[in-house]
Amino acid sequence: MAIVAQSSKFGTYGRPILAWAVGLLFFFPIFYMVMTSFKTDADAVKPEFLFFFTPTLDNYLNMAENYDYWRFAKNSVITAVLATVFTMFVGIPAAYAMAFNPSRATKDVLMWMLSTKMLPAAAVLYPMIYLAKGIGLYDTKVLIVTVLSLINLPIAIWMLFTYFKEIPKDIIEAGKMDGVNTWGEIKEILVPLAWGGIASTALLIFIFCWNEAYWTVRLTTIDAATLSKLIEGNRAPEGLFFGRLSAVSTAAVGPIVVLGWFCQKQLVQGLTFGAVK
Amino acid sequence: MSEWLENHLPKIVLAPSFIGVLVFVYGFIAWTAWVSLTRSKLLPRYEIKGFVQYEKLFDSPRWDTAMNNLFIFGTLFIVIAMVLGLLLAIMLDQKIRTEGVIRTIYLYPMALSMIVTGTAWKWILNPGLGIEATVRGWGYENFSFDWVVNPDYAIYTIVLAAVWQSSGFVMALFLAGLRSVDGEIIKAAQVDGIPTWRIYSAIIIPSMAPIFLSAFIVLAHLAIKIFDLVIALTGGGPGYATDLPATYMYAMAFSRGDIGQAASSAMIMMLVVFTIVVPYLYSELRSKNDG
């Protein structure tokens, strides 16, 4: 329950204004980047043109030429989408099994899998590179999709589990009585009932895959390099190509900003790991 | 047959993920542990030589700086993000009409790539480009804000960007917690004329203890694993001033060609995570058995 302060001028007008002011502060670094992306490289480094400048689209129009943006973007889309689909494809049956046919070890297994997510990737990164090079998968999309799926699977299973266990068991049992097989139960009963939770989980996993840098930067060179690699490789020394770097950075986070805006509910649910329903 | 399948289905379904995690996580950790006991340099070697790498690690001033930074950064980051998150949650919990949109904006930093947002922060904090240059441009010639290039203060810029990134997440967790407090108790306290700050400090906040714990665990493991942001914002510099264990490990593995050092630092990082996570897991499991 909310404690709402007694109505006063501050309560009615001050709080929303304060909340929005903080919101602007939070959004400022992103706004700053977007704004800079519409400046020429020369204007971008001049403080007097901070807010007042002649906007230009050149940075965006030359993005493909300057940075080969679309190749990296294509890799990001392909790997993030495939990894999300694959994670959900494995995660949904696994979470289903845990939620509706729990054994005594279920929760232990769940906590254990989740604990692996907390381990520093540092201890696993080097052998992974070694193995990838050894079996010839280094710098391939197959490798990136596999790694992204593996590192996100525990969190997906755990989140789906928290949603699934709120579904009354009777509904699933009723399906069983009617002779529906397991696959049918998942497809016909579980997925429609838990659709909101599944969508939030999928969005979260997609965001994680899209943003992943620790693995993708080290496991790729050219062929499977994603936008993270592009940005990581172009953190220019101060002021150089400031405008065009802002454009390519904006284009790298843009899809997430837009997606998040249209799926606000799923974004909040996902990013809080289902704590906000 | 179908009954057997029905009974064993959970295990069959779980087996691939279980085996995947087991092999990739624990197998590779075992490999790293092994290599940390060898004299591996550019390529891994497998002859065990004892704890030489660890001795070298603890003698290294750079590792010392990294662990110190982790302590400073971790403490400030967790405390500030929690306090700010709680204050923001209390502020948003006032029936503000546009709450949904504001909540999304607060959460955006968490959803965006830290490589990108870290770069944006680098520009904003850069004395020649961002805040300092702008304020000087307004006529305050003596204004100085050069933390990001000052070895004594650079670590605080990482705290700043990391707090910016995570406090919206903490806010959302606490907001959910505030909403789940029993309204009857609060009403009763209000009827008794207990001041609002006392209601928060004596009733509401104590009842949110489990949320504090989850927020702490998430923030602590973010702090230990933080990497993208440091690389984008300071690259560990100036010098080694903002090196953290993760960037130390990375530098050893990929620019110094010292796999042995990388492996031993990774093992120490893991130990630190374990000392935080294991008590938490233990308390979770115990509460399950009680329930």
Side-chain angles (χ1 to χ4, degrees):
Chain A
M1 189 196 118
I3 299 187
V4 180
Q6 275 72 33
S7 65
S8 63
K9 270 220 170 99
F10 178 72
T12 327
Y13 301 107
R15 279 209 191 78
I17 291 172
L18 185 66
W20 274 101
V22 175
L24 285 181
L25 214 59
F26 265 82
F27 203 68
F28 183 75
I30 303 163
F31 173 70
Y32 180 75
M33 190 173 72
V34 175
M35 199 171 55
T36 310
S37 72
F38 291 106
K39 299 177 187 176
T40 62
D41 285 338
D43 281 2
V45 294
K46 293 186 188 133
E48 63 267 33
F49 293 140
L50 178 64
F51 291 112
F52 307 100
F53 55 92
T54 324
T56 168
L57 278 175
D58 285 357
N59 294 323
Y60 287 99
L61 297 174
N62 298 332
M63 206 161 58
E65 194 186 317
N66 289 339
Y67 296 107
D68 207 356
Y69 171 81
W70 293 107
R71 195 166 55 90
F72 292 96
K74 204 178 89 195
N75 283 343
S76 272
V77 171
I78 292 174
T79 53
V81 168
L82 286 181
T84 308
V85 170
F86 187 72
T87 306
M88 299 307 283
F89 197 73
V90 178
I92 290 175
Y96 162 84
M98 284 181 163
F100 298 111
N101 286 312
S103 69
R104 267 190 326 163
T106 296
K107 201 164 176 201
D108 299 345
V109 171
L110 202 60
M111 290 306 281
W112 170 73
M113 284 185 93
L114 203 59
S115 76
T116 60
K117 182 83 192 151
M118 301 226 164
L119 297 176
V124 186
L125 178 61
Y126 203 85
M128 192 68 182
I129 293 173
Y130 215 59
L131 178 74
K133 284 186 174 160
I135 55 177
L137 280 179
Y138 187 78
D139 196 22
T140 60
K141 292 189 196 74
V142 175
L143 174 72
I144 298 303
V145 171
T146 312
V147 168
L148 290 177
S149 306
L150 273 175
I151 58 179
N152 287 310
L153 197 57
I155 216 110
I157 293 179
W158 179 72
M159 245 183 93
L160 289 167
F161 172 80
T162 62
Y163 284 109
F164 290 174
K165 72 173 196 254
E166 280 172 19
I167 295 171
K169 233 180 156 176
D170 303 350
I171 298 179
I172 304 289
E173 295 290 327
K176 231 172 234 157
M177 293 292 174
D178 293 345
V180 181
N181 66 14
T182 308
W183 180 239
E185 276 170 32
I186 294 181
K187 213 173 65 176
E188 306 292 335
I189 305 170
L190 183 74
V191 171
L193 277 176
W195 182 242
I198 291 172
S200 303
T201 309
L203 181 68
L204 177 76
I205 301 303
F206 179 80
I207 289 176
F208 279 172
C209 292
W210 186 273
N211 292 345
E212 171 54 44
Y214 194 82
W215 293 94
T216 48
V217 166
R218 270 298 150 188
L219 291 174
T220 61
T221 44
I222 302 165
D223 292 343
T226 62
L227 286 168
S228 296
K229 177 97 177 175
L230 173 67
I231 304 295
E232 201 269 345
N234 280 291
R235 290 168 294 108
E238 71 185 67
L240 209 59
F241 306 135
F242 195 26
R244 53 171 97 166
L245 263 177
S246 294
V248 74
S249 300
T250 305
V253 295
I256 301 292
V257 174
V258 173
L259 195 65
W261 190 258
F262 287 111
C263 312
Q264 290 188 26
K265 195 175 156 224
Q266 285 75 26
L267 183 81
V268 174
Q269 281 186 2
L271 285 178
T272 53
F273 307 113
V276 178
K277 295 263 147 89
Chain B
M1 178 63 195
S2 82
E3 199 174 322
W4 180 89
L5 195 70
E6 203 68 40
N7 285 332
H8 289 81
L9 191 77
K11 286 181 195 117
I12 297 167
V13 167
L14 279 173
S17 1
F18 192 83
I19 293 167
V21 173
L22 197 70
V23 170
F24 282 98
V25 177
Y26 289 90
F28 283 178
I29 287 174
W31 186 91
T32 305
W34 183 288
V35 168
S36 78
L37 297 173
T38 68
R39 281 187 195 278
S40 301
K41 271 287 188 195
L42 201 58
L43 289 172
R45 280 189 255 166
Y46 298 105
E47 273 167 86
I48 299 266
K49 292 284 187 198
F51 289 93
V52 275
Q53 296 293 354
Y54 292 92
E55 281 163 23
K56 203 171 133 196
L57 189 69
F58 294 134
D59 282 340
S60 153
R62 189 174 172 182
W63 174 254
D64 220 40
T65 314
M67 286 304 269
N68 249 332
N69 280 340
L70 178 63
F71 182 74
I72 297 172
F73 166 77
T75 313
L76 288 175
F77 164 65
I78 293 169
V79 170
I80 299 173
M82 287 247 224
V83 170
L84 197 63
L86 183 63
L87 291 177
L88 289 175
I90 292 174
M91 184 180 74
L92 265 199
D93 192 28
Q94 304 288 334
K95 300 207 166 87
I96 292 172
R97 243 183 309 158
T98 47
E99 185 197 302
V101 177
I102 296 179
R103 202 172 53 175
T104 306
I105 292 174
Y106 288 4
L107 266 169
Y108 259 141
M110 184 85 175
L112 302 182
S113 153
M114 276 202 266
I115 286 281
V116 174
T117 55
T119 310
W121 274 105
K122 184 171 87 170
W123 294 332
I124 291 171
L125 296 168
N126 184 305
L129 290 172
I131 298 173
E132 186 183 288
T134 307
V135 176
R136 283 190 180 178
W138 290 340
Y140 302 96
E141 286 297 332
N142 294 322
F143 179 81
S144 159
F145 185 64
D146 62 349
W147 284 12
V148 78
V149 293
N150 183 329
D152 293 331
Y153 291 99
I155 188 75
Y156 302 113
T157 61
I158 295 177
V159 175
L160 175 68
V163 165
W164 170 77
Q165 200 249 346
S166 305
S167 50
F169 160 76
V170 183
M171 181 280 302
L173 280 191
F174 283 153
L175 191 57
L178 286 174
R179 301 265 154 93
S180 65
V181 176
D182 183 2
E184 292 302 314
I185 300 174
I186 297 173
K187 260 186 216 147
Q190 278 173 327
V191 170
D192 286 348
I194 297 170
T196 306
W197 69 270
R198 280 285 296 160
I199 299 180
Y200 272 111
S201 65
I203 301 171
I204 297 177
I205 291 173
S207 74
M208 297 200 316
I211 298 172
F212 274 89
L213 186 64
S214 334
F216 172 79
I217 293 293
V218 173
L219 292 177
H221 109 276
L222 280 181
I224 296 165
K225 286 171 65 169
I226 193 154
F227 174 78
D228 313 13
L229 187 64
V230 187
I231 289 294
L233 182 55
T234 64
Y240 306 134
T242 52
D243 236 351
L244 283 156
T247 56
Y248 178 90
M249 182 270 161
Y250 206 74
M252 288 301 149
F254 302 111
S255 37
R256 290 288 195 87
D258 196 340
I259 296 173
Q261 274 295 286
S264 61
S265 58
M267 292 314 289
I268 299 290
M269 273 172 76
M270 212 168 64
L271 260 178
V272 178
V273 176
F274 265 128
T275 52
I276 295 170
V277 173
V278 168
Y280 173 69
L281 290 182
Y282 180 76
S283 74
E284 277 287 310
L285 292 177
R286 204 184 45 182
S287 71
K288 177 199 77 173
N289 291 340
D290 290 347

